[in-house]
Amino acid sequence: TQLLEQSPQFLSIQEGENLTVYCNSSSVFSSLQWYRQEPGEGPVLLVTVVTGGEVKKLKRLTFQFGDARKDSSLHITAAQPGDTGLYLCAGVATGTASKLTFGTGTRLQVTL
Amino acid sequence: DTGVSQDPRHKITKRGQNVTFRCDPISEHNRLYWYRQTLGQGPEFLTYFQNEAQLEKSRLLSDRFSAERPKGSFSTLEIQRTEQGDSAMYLCASSNHAWTRGTQYFGPGTRLTVL
């Protein structure tokens, strides 16, 4: 079973702080996606990374895919209360169908 | 592009009843997926279709669960003889394997509560 482990599980920070969320696995992924989910809603796509070593930026969010395509990170600069939510990484393991394997999730709370 | 839609958004039922959920994918997306998410967990894969063909089913999908995508567009997920353990958020996602690099777009989900 391919597992994606996220850390930390919970993060409570103040507005303006920086943070990094990690997503690690022993399996290789052909692509990896990051989602943000609000309570009672479906996950909303933030980014897809497909190339080892790839870095993508989305405003204050920076996503990196590990060289070996086994891990990824999400860095948020100057967090805002609107960043509060559940962050999920999800990957498509190589050699499998395109089903997503999700990480355990990181619940972020940003306070004023 | 109106996004993935799901209906209903919430369903409360009594144990033993049958329920059916509907998912309308993004138009021109040939793949459609069903996932289940319980409180505090990430979504877990249930099954997926490419066009009208159901290509994979998870071991999580017991015999009480059945999914269809008769014309390769919308899909339904039926749960027969519901149990309290079926209470969860049921999520639908779609993708076009040819040009979204496997990226899946999710609907808002159907929250099922079995009493």
Side-chain angles (χ1 to χ4, degrees):
Chain A
T1 303
Q2 297 90 9
L3 293 176
L4 276 168
E5 297 202 3
Q6 283 185 239
S7 61
Q9 282 190 301
F10 301 96
L11 197 52
S12 182
I13 61 172
Q14 291 190 319
E15 183 180 20
E17 291 186 33
N18 301 333
L19 67 118
T20 302
V21 177
Y22 298 94
C23 178
N24 296 298
S25 176
S26 57
S27 299
V28 177
F29 292 89
S30 58
S31 69
L32 194 138
Q33 289 141 53
W34 284 90
Y35 295 87
R36 193 175 95 186
Q37 187 177 26
E38 303 288 344
E41 299 293 329
V44 175
L45 179 72
L46 296 174
V47 78
T48 298
V49 286
V50 296
T51 305
E54 183 176 2
V55 177
K56 282 192 173 179
K57 291 190 176 184
L58 185 66
K59 295 184 180 178
R60 295 176 294 102
L61 278 59
T62 301
F63 304 87
Q64 186 163 9
F65 201 13
D67 291 341
R69 292 184 288 134
K70 292 183 178 181
D71 54 86
S72 182
S73 64
L74 157 60
H75 182 79
I76 301 179
T77 303
Q80 300 177 358
D83 296 327
T84 294
L86 178 67
Y87 289 82
L88 293 161
C89 64
V92 177
T94 55
T96 69
S98 59
K99 63 184 179 184
L100 288 174
T101 298
F102 276 84
T104 46
T106 295
R107 188 163 297 282
L108 171 66
Q109 182 171 27
V110 183
T111 55
L112 293 171
Chain B
D1 182 354
T2 58
V4 178
S5 61
Q6 293 187 245
D7 184 71
R9 292 293 310 277
H10 304 275
K11 179 70 176 179
I12 299 174
T13 191
K14 293 182 179 179
R15 189 176 53 186
Q17 297 293 306
N18 300 342
V19 294
T20 300
F21 310 141
R22 176 180 170 124
C23 171
D24 286 88
I26 294 171
S27 59
E28 298 179 355
H29 277 193
N30 57 352
R31 289 192 175 182
L32 186 149
Y33 310 80
W34 287 99
Y35 293 83
R36 181 170 68 187
Q37 185 177 26
T38 53
L39 207 59
Q41 303 294 320
E44 293 178 293
F45 170 79
L46 292 178
T47 188
Y48 93 95
F49 294 83
Q50 177 154 314
N51 301 313
E52 65 276 9
Q54 188 173 17
L55 295 187
E56 187 172 346
K57 293 192 290 186
S58 163
R59 288 174 294 134
L60 294 174
L61 212 66
S62 77
D63 292 343
R64 297 183 296 105
F65 288 69
S66 62
E68 295 182 343
R69 194 184 184 198
K71 297 182 179 179
S73 56
F74 73 92
S75 175
T76 58
L77 177 68
E78 181 183 17
I79 308 175
Q80 296 183 323
R81 305 180 303 281
T82 52
E83 302 172 356
Q84 288 185 324
D86 297 331
S87 295
M89 174 79 93
Y90 289 84
L91 293 163
C92 175
S94 70
S95 74
N96 186 310
H97 190 65
W99 49 267
T100 64
R101 294 181 138 175
T103 298
Q104 296 179 27
Y105 298 86
F106 282 81
T110 295
R111 166 75 64 190
L112 172 66
T113 302
V114 182
L115 301 176

